[in-house]
Amino acid sequence: MITASLDVGSVVLVLASLSFLGLGQSAPAQGLGADTARALPELAAHWWIPAIPGLAVMALSLVANLAGNAVRNLLARDGR
């Protein structure tokens, strides 16, 4: 369970990277990487448009890793 929660961050980053490169889900499906890639032409004028999906990827990865660490610490404190 702990390993799975720690791997969620890696999976989110890999899926976002693949969809950013155009190798992810098909067109009607939304992906954070695809949203970032579509917004790149707007980067100079509106920096927040591609930054928001990138921050969402970072936040999702961080929360998953922190949850895994919390579970690991909780189980280690109980002596299991």
Side-chain angles (χ1 to χ4, degrees), residues 12-13 32 36 47-63:
V12 167
L13 291 174
L32 291 172
T36 305
W47 62 269
W48 61 89
I49 295 174
I52 290 173
L55 289 173
V57 168
M58 184 187 73
L60 231 109
S61 178
L62 180 67
V63 166

Side-chain angles (χ1 to χ4, degrees), residues 35-52:
D35 289 343
T36 305
R38 270 193 301 266
L40 280 180
E42 302 293 326
L43 185 61
H46 308 289
W47 62 269
W48 61 89
I49 295 174
I52 290 173

Side-chain angles (χ1 to χ4, degrees), residues 2 65-80:
I2 297 166
N65 282 321
L66 290 176
N69 284 336
V71 169
R72 184 189 63 199
N73 291 339
L74 184 67
L75 291 177
R77 190 174 11 171
D78 288 341
R80 296 182 188 173

